[in-house]
């Protein structure tokens, strides 16, 4: 087995498991305090969009973690909705609209357009999480491992994408890493 394949699947495994600490934290703390609803809505839509992109480009290591990620995001959204007593109309439409938009961009614009556009929901979600971190007096529902793990995962995906010349991931992870490293941008 080639090293690039192993590294691609390492990215997939880390990506698939990244939401687990957040879910465990929500279960243990029994609160969603400090968790950004907006971030998880956008991650849900992004996960569906990336799953579709993986199908289009034929990379199973993009399909599997993003399908699982979308399912885990749905679980987090369900837990946040239950904790905050939010109606479904406040929880699901945004993520589904983002997914539909990303699929449309992939179909109409291709990999480069998808890579550029898919950055937006993640950046907005990161800004929403930052806002919630600054506003919330209680962060007991937020997993610090998830926050740090997200940045490590972006570096992993970027290195794999550079190796296999996967343009969408190169664009997206480059922008996210730049913004995360320089939050004043």
């Amino acid at each position: 087995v080639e090293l690039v394949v192993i590294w691609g699947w390492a990215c997939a495994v880390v990506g698939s498991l990244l939401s687990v600490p957040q879910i465990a934290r929500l279960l243990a703390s029994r609160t969603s305090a400090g968790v950004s609803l907006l971030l998880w809505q956008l991650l849900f839509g992004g996960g569906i969009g990336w799953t579709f992109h993986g199908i289009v480009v034929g990379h199973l290591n993009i399909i599997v973690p993003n399908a699982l990620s979308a399912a885990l995001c749905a679980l987090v959204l369900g837990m946040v909705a239950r904790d905050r007593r939010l109606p479904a109309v406040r929880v699901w439409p945004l993520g589904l609209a983002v997914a539909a938009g990303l699929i449309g961009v992939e179909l109409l614009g291709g990999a480069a357009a998808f890579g550029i556009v898919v950055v937006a929901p993640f950046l907005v979600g990161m800004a929403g999480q930052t806002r919630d971190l600054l506003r919330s007096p209680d962060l007991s529902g937020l997993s610090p491992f998830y926050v740090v793990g997200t940045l490590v995962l972006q570096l992993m995906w970027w290195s794999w994408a550079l190796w296999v010349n996967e343009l969408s991931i190169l664009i997206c992870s480059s922008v996210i890493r730049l913004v995360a490293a320089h939050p004043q941008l």
Side-chain angles (χ1 to χ4, degrees):
V1 177
E2 291 183 40
L3 190 55
V4 68
V5 173
I6 293 169
W7 185 241
W9 280 103
C11 296
V13 168
V14 171
S16 296
L17 298 177
L18 193 57
S19 296
V20 173
Q22 183 58 66
I23 292 167
R25 183 69 171 241
L26 286 168
L27 289 170
S29 67
R30 298 181 190 258
T31 179
S32 64
V35 175
S36 171
L37 174 64
L38 177 63
L39 172 66
W40 288 93
Q41 290 169 316
L42 296 173
L43 289 174
F44 174 65
I48 294 170
W50 275 111
T51 301
F52 185 80
H53 172 73
I55 292 167
V56 169
V57 298
H59 283 295
L60 199 55
N61 68 313
I62 295 174
I63 298 166
V64 171
N66 284 292
L68 182 57
S69 176
L72 292 173
C73 287
L75 180 60
V76 170
L77 285 171
M79 295 168 80
V80 170
R82 185 188 67 218
D83 181 53
R84 298 178 188 174
R85 295 182 177 91
L86 298 173
V89 71
R90 287 241 358 250
V91 177
W92 303 105
L94 178 60
L96 294 172
V98 166
L102 291 173
I103 290 169
V105 168
E106 176 71 39
L107 290 173
L108 297 173
F114 179 84
I116 292 167
V117 173
V118 77
V119 170
F122 290 101
L123 293 179
V124 171
M126 288 169 58
Q129 182 63 68
T130 301
R131 179 200 66 215
D132 290 352
L133 285 171
L134 296 173
R135 288 184 178 173
S136 181
D138 179 9
L139 300 177
S140 57
L142 182 65
S143 166
F145 181 79
Y146 173 78
V147 175
V148 173
T150 299
L151 297 175
V152 171
L153 179 61
Q154 289 303 317
L155 181 58
M156 290 175 68
W157 275 119
W158 178 84
S159 66
W160 176 80
L162 187 62
W163 206 342
V164 298
N165 198 28
E166 211 298 320
L167 189 58
S168 296
I169 292 176
L170 278 172
I171 293 168
C172 181
S173 62
S174 294
V175 172
I176 290 174
R177 286 182 317 108
L178 177 66
V179 171
H182 303 289
Q184 66 274 14
L185 291 177

